[in-house]
């Protein structure tokens, strides 16, 4: 007795579904949102920003000196460093100049 | 051949099982980074793991960096030996006392692997420190651990090198004995083959 899908279309649809599930599993396997692990004072006039990266993802580290513009949330963010997409995890240590003003940092995934 | 090989292999495995100190050497440069960079910096060092004292003795000297040093760690494990990148295994944010803000320097310390401060919490996870130590020991032995020096010019690492096992003198002596034994056997066979 021959076993298998009588309808090739059904087999094709099941194959697509299996692929989609695998992709979903891979996406969900990625650890949470990007995270700055540490901001530390460094030498006399610098700070170091530490973060870990995951494979095949591009990260953008930005800073702003204010989180509001004319009282409205949303400051102007300036690019500080882009961690390129590489097929391995890594750890980055980004130096920044310490200023007399406050400075906020954010890390984004840009793919 | 079997008569000779078996005792040699047995002796080797017994000695390995009882060895308490494992020596590694490391040569650091920009070409070894992943991705490779054109840094003119170089470095060399040693790592000595003592599985009885639970210590990791580290020593490195480096020079010619393009940027100034910001941090240094041992990373592990990479997916394959002697290639790829991995997260930080040892002390974060950096080894205590590592020379920062310089392009050349020397550093030596001994990490007590029974202390939390010797580890990156992310490497230990929910496991015990003993498990983390065993994991790192395995990573070093399998060539999936590397020493990385981060700098202002290369935030992901300016120079690095994988830890390479240095054979113990006793192992070398044993291998030498084995070679002598095999040579003697070959000589005996040739002699007995002669009419």
């Amino acid at each position: 007795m021959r076993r298998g899908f009588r309808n090739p279309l059904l087999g094709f649809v099941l194959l697509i579904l299996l692929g989609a599930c695998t992709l979903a599993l891979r996406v969900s396997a990625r650890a949470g949102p990007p995270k700055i692990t540490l901001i530390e004072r460094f030498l006399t006039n610098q700070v170091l920003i530490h973060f870990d990266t995951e494979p095949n993802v591009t990260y953008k580290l930005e800073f702003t000196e204010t989180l509001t513009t004319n009282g409205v949330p949303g400051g102007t963010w300036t690019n500080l460093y882009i961690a390129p997409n590489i097929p391995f995890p890594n750890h980055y240590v980004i130096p920044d100049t310490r200023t007399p003003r406050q400075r906020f940092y954010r890390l984004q995934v840009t793919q | 051949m079997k008569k000779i090989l078996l005792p040699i292999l047995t002796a080797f495995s017994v000695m390995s099982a009882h060895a308490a100190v494992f020596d590694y050497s490391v040569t650091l440069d920009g070409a070894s980074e992943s991705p490779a960079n054109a840094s003119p910096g170089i470095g060399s060092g040693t790592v000595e793991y003592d599985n009885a004292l639970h210590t990791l003795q580290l020593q490195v000297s480096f020079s010619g960096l393009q940027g100034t040093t910001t941090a240094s760690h041992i990373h592990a494990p990479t997916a394959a030996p002697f290639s790829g990148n991995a997260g930080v295994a040892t002390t974060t944010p950096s080894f205590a006392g590592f020379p920062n803000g310089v392009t050349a320097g020397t550093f030596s310390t001994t990490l007590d692997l029974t202390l939390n401060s010797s580890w990156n919490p992310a490497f230990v996870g929910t496991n015990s420190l003993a498990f983390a130590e065993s994991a790192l020991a395995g990573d070093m032995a399998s060539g999936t651990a590397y020493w990385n020096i981060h700098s202002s010019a290369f935030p992901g690492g300016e120079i690095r090198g994988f830890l390479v096992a240095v054979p113990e003198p006793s192992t070398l002596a044993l291998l030498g004995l084995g070679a002598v034994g095999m040579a003697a056997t070959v000589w005996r066979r040739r002699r007995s083959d002669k009419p």
Side-chain angles (χ1 to χ4, degrees), chain A residues 24-110:
Chain A
L25 277 175
R26 282 189 65 185
V27 170
S28 64
R30 182 179 292 167
K35 186 180 169 187
I36 292 172
T37 52
L38 179 71
I39 300 174
E40 58 168 337
R41 285 170 178 252
F42 184 64
L43 304 178
T44 53
N45 62 342
Q46 289 180 288
V47 291
L48 293 180
I49 301 105
H50 294 249
F51 62 90
D52 294 315
T53 60
E54 294 186 18
N56 306 311
V57 181
T58 303
Y59 292 79
K60 184 163 68 171
L61 180 66
E62 297 173 308
F63 72 86
T64 184
E65 291 182 343
T66 175
L67 293 173
T68 59
T69 307
N70 299 325
V72 178
T76 304
W77 291 89
T78 305
N79 183 48
L80 186 59
Y81 185 75
I82 291 178
N85 178 328
I86 56 172
F88 311 106
N90 206 4
H91 179 79
Y92 287 86
V93 184
I94 317 297
D96 190 23
T97 307
R98 206 186 305 165
T99 69
R101 295 170 62 86
Q102 64 183 0
R103 192 168 268 198
F104 301 91
Y105 297 92
R106 75 177 179 188
L107 183 64
Q108 287 183 303
V109 166
T110 61

Side-chain angles (χ1 to χ4, degrees), chain B residues 167-181:
Chain B
E168 301 168 60
S170 55
T171 307
L172 286 174
L174 199 64
L175 285 173
L177 268 176
V180 169

Side-chain angles (χ1 to χ4, degrees), chain B:
Chain B
M1 182 69 100
K2 278 181 185 173
K3 282 180 182 175
I4 290 180
L5 268 181
L6 195 62
I8 288 175
L9 287 175
T10 307
F12 182 77
S13 62
V14 168
M15 286 191 69
S16 297
H18 287 281
V21 176
F22 300 85
D23 290 316
Y24 297 90
S25 67
V26 57
T27 302
L28 304 92
D29 57 26
S32 301
E33 288 284 350
S34 178
N37 65 54
S39 167
I42 52 166
S44 66
T46 57
V47 174
E48 188 180 291
Y49 168 55
D50 190 318
N51 70 359
L53 295 175
H54 304 287
T55 56
L56 201 60
Q57 194 174 315
L58 308 164
Q59 181 277 323
V60 72
S61 59
F62 58 92
S63 61
L65 297 188
Q66 197 170 313
T68 55
T69 51
T70 53
S72 184
H73 323 96
I74 288 177
H75 295 236
T78 57
F82 307 109
S83 70
N85 291 355
V88 175
T90 53
T91 311
T92 53
S94 182
F95 290 128
F98 191 84
N100 284 323
V102 297
T103 58
T106 59
F107 169 72
S108 67
T109 193
T110 300
L111 296 181
D112 181 343
L113 300 179
T114 64
L115 300 178
N116 278 309
S117 58
S118 298
W119 298 97
N120 176 12
F123 182 80
V124 178
T126 55
N127 299 306
S128 66
L129 293 186
F131 185 89
E133 178 183 333
S134 171
L136 182 58
D139 298 338
M140 292 189 295
S142 63
T144 58
Y146 61 93
W147 193 334
N148 198 16
I149 298 180
H150 301 255
S151 77
S152 54
F154 297 95
E158 177 161 348
I159 59 172
R160 79 168 187 180
F162 278 89
L163 275 55
V164 178
V166 177
E168 301 168 60
S170 55
T171 307
L172 286 174
L174 199 64
L175 285 173
L177 268 176
V180 169
M182 288 183 76
T185 306
V186 170
W187 179 74
R188 268 177 54 195
R189 278 192 182 169
R190 280 189 182 168
R191 203 175 159 196
S192 62
D193 285 347
K194 281 183 183 172

